[in-house]
Amino acid sequence: MHALCIGLMSGTSMDAVDAALCRMDENRVVGVEAVHRLEYPAPLRRRLIDLQLDPDTSLTLRELAELDHGVAETFAAAALGVMHGRPAATVCCIGSHGQTVFHDPQRARNSLQLGDPSLIAARTGVTVVADFRRADVARGGQGAPLVPAFHLASFGTLTPCAVLNLGGIANLTVLPGSGTAYGFDTGPGNGLLDAWIARHRNARYDRGGQWAATGTVNTALLEACLDDDYFRRPPPKSTGRDHFNLAWLQQRFPALEALPAADVQRTLVEVTARSISAQLQRTAPDIRRVLVCGGGVHNPVLLASLRSAMPGVTIESTLAAGLDPDQVEAAAFAWLAWRRLQGRPGNLPSATGASAAAILGGIYAP
């Protein structure tokens, strides 16, 4: 017997809320029935990005409450969009990741996502599961990345391989032929690329890598960026836009603005590709197949750089394994919600560093 679950996801890029209506069997997603994508209102997105970039910024409780409400309304609208008139009673649950605005599991020992799940439940009439990360953090974990457990459930029969999510921050899941699966955030994915083109060309992202393709890699900038302790740190580890941002870039290379802007964009592509390839080689040198998902899969310049940095490794979309690369993360949170309702753990301690497997998320009735 199959159940229908909705996954809602907005990552560090905040380009849109992705919704996926998934058909589940007892253990996994067996199909995606429908998808919907809804952009944040521009003022809301700008304020959320500002919070991510500077978690020490001044924010009143009223502003925080308004942001929480605005995110929830957008998530609810995305869920209703993917339901497309389907009766609420036919949907088992909604898994809402919410919007991360603060993530510091080591010093603050917390990870905060906005998007009131009670409001989403009220708007849709469907039970919502949300707040997935903090049960892992409470057990000493990073609370991230959470998708490796889903990658294992979805692609575990294809081992040995790795799954690479190219969002604003990139994360990697290693599924070895034998031994324990694990994962970690590798560092920048599309986030630096998006920020740089937004500053210089007033665009949300570099469509098809077209602007980067006009530039040339600057070796000095590349080496300065890659000389960051985060890349050398062993997993488990997680990071975010509060670390890898344009202020970080300026700090790494003070002469940044003297360089041709297109050269910087092309170099940032290489930073993403080289940081990923070096960490995969260090942690799993025997992997010869990488399945790619996330927005970066649509950037042929980035994919070409990854292939150049990893000769002998097959790099292909997760579509080759049966799951659309644009649907993987939303589907992961449908799966995590389904796991919660079944009373099954959703984290992978080898990825997050938690002391034990945990049942993730709270349940919010409509």
Side-chain angles (χ1 to χ4, degrees):
M1 182 176 178
H2 291 163
L4 289 176
C5 303
I6 293 172
L8 301 175
M9 176 65 192
S10 174
T12 52
S13 293
M14 299 189 197
D15 45 2
V17 178
D18 291 312
L21 178 66
C22 301
R23 191 160 28 93
M24 323 289 297
D25 67 11
E26 185 178 358
N27 297 309
R28 65 189 184 93
V29 173
V30 295
V32 178
E33 300 285 316
V35 296
H36 187 69
R37 187 173 175 84
L38 183 65
E39 292 187 0
Y40 279 122
L44 176 59
R45 180 177 185 266
R46 182 67 261 164
R47 190 67 180 109
L48 292 169
I49 289 176
D50 288 344
L51 272 181
Q52 269 195 347
L53 290 173
D54 183 10
D56 296 318
T57 187
S58 176
L59 184 72
T60 68
L61 289 176
R62 181 176 299 279
E63 288 174 316
L64 182 65
E66 289 173 349
L67 289 174
D68 189 44
H69 184 91
V71 171
E73 290 284 18
T74 307
F75 271 60
L80 289 169
V82 81
M83 290 168 70
H84 197 58
R86 179 184 295 274
T90 65
V91 180
C92 178
C93 62
I94 294 171
S96 175
H97 172 269
Q99 184 63 64
T100 299
V101 291
F102 180 80
H103 181 78
D104 187 354
Q106 295 177 313
R107 288 177 298 170
R109 299 179 184 177
N110 211 337
S111 183
L112 178 62
Q113 288 74 43
L114 298 184
D116 179 6
S118 292
L119 181 59
I120 299 171
R123 293 283 188 268
T124 61
V126 179
T127 296
V128 173
V129 182
D131 195 17
F132 290 97
R133 299 193 185 275
R134 290 198 282 191
D136 183 89
V137 174
R139 289 159 177 80
Q142 300 259 328
L146 290 183
V147 289
F150 174 71
H151 292 161
L152 177 60
S154 300
F155 308 116
T157 59
L158 305 177
T159 58
C161 70
V163 184
L164 173 63
N165 175 47
L166 288 171
I169 294 294
N171 57 69
L172 187 68
T173 302
V174 177
L175 305 174
S178 60
T180 303
Y182 62 94
F184 56 95
D185 286 351
T186 60
N190 308 310
L192 289 173
L193 296 166
D194 294 348
W196 188 252
I197 197 171
R199 172 183 287 186
H200 287 272
R201 309 197 81 179
N202 196 30
R204 291 274 289 271
Y205 63 98
D206 188 5
R207 185 181 296 274
Q210 294 178 13
W211 189 40
T214 67
T216 302
V217 173
N218 182 287
T219 302
L221 174 60
L222 175 63
E223 291 177 351
C225 289
L226 292 178
D227 187 26
D228 185 290
D229 287 341
Y230 182 83
F231 299 130
R232 293 185 286 269
R233 193 187 309 165
K237 59 181 178 177
S238 60
T239 189
R241 186 174 271 179
D242 59 312
H243 182 100
F244 291 106
N245 52 43
L246 292 187
W248 171 86
L249 188 62
Q250 186 73 56
Q251 184 180 37
R252 303 302 306 179
F253 198 81
L256 182 68
E257 296 296 341
L259 301 178
D263 287 0
V264 174
Q265 187 77 356
R266 178 64 186 87
T267 305
L268 293 177
V269 169
E270 206 67 20
V271 170
T272 292
R274 296 284 187 91
S275 61
I276 292 167
S277 63
Q279 292 175 85
L280 180 61
Q281 177 64 31
R282 186 181 308 120
T283 61
D286 296 331
I287 292 296
R288 288 293 175 265
R289 185 186 191 191
V290 176
L291 300 169
V292 185
C293 58
V297 77
H298 302 295
N299 186 333
V301 179
L302 177 53
L303 293 185
S305 291
L306 284 166
R307 292 186 176 107
S308 177
M310 292 187 276
V313 177
T314 299
I315 297 174
E316 57 189 338
S317 161
T318 54
L319 192 60
L323 190 54
D324 189 304
D326 293 323
Q327 300 168 6
V328 172
E329 282 210 301
F333 283 89
W335 180 82
L336 284 168
W338 180 233
R339 297 280 290 184
R340 176 63 183 89
L341 294 187
Q342 292 179 310
R344 296 184 176 190
N347 63 336
L348 194 65
S350 55
T352 65
S355 60
I359 299 171
L360 305 181
I363 300 174
Y364 301 80

